[in-house]
Amino acid sequence: MLCFVEADWPLFGGDFVLRDVTVTWPKKLATTIARPGPLTEEQIAVIHRRLAAAFPPA
């Protein structure tokens, strides 16, 4: 999923999917990732740590 924070939305009519990658805006992303899914809290924490290490704050 790609999220464009400073973009003017809707682009091309809103969010879209291209080659299995969803392109969206922050509020839509927050709604999507807040939904229940198949991962456990521990799995989510591991992914969070890996992402935080790979992409430190600017």
Side-chain angles (χ1 to χ4, degrees), residues 2-29:
L2 293 174
C3 180
F4 291 94
V5 178
E6 297 291 329
D8 291 326
W9 287 92
L11 291 176
F12 311 113
D15 62 332
F16 56 94
V17 178
L18 181 63
R19 294 186 181 177
D20 296 324
V21 175
T22 300
V23 181
T24 191
W25 62 94
K27 287 183 182 179
K28 179 84 177 218
L29 174 62

Side-chain angles (χ1 to χ4, degrees), residues 30-52:
T31 300
T32 301
I33 63 175
R35 287 186 281 178
L39 299 177
T40 66
E41 287 188 33
E42 184 178 324
Q43 290 170 317
I44 292 169
V46 168
I47 292 168
H48 176 263
R49 286 191 297 273
R50 288 182 183 172
L51 288 171

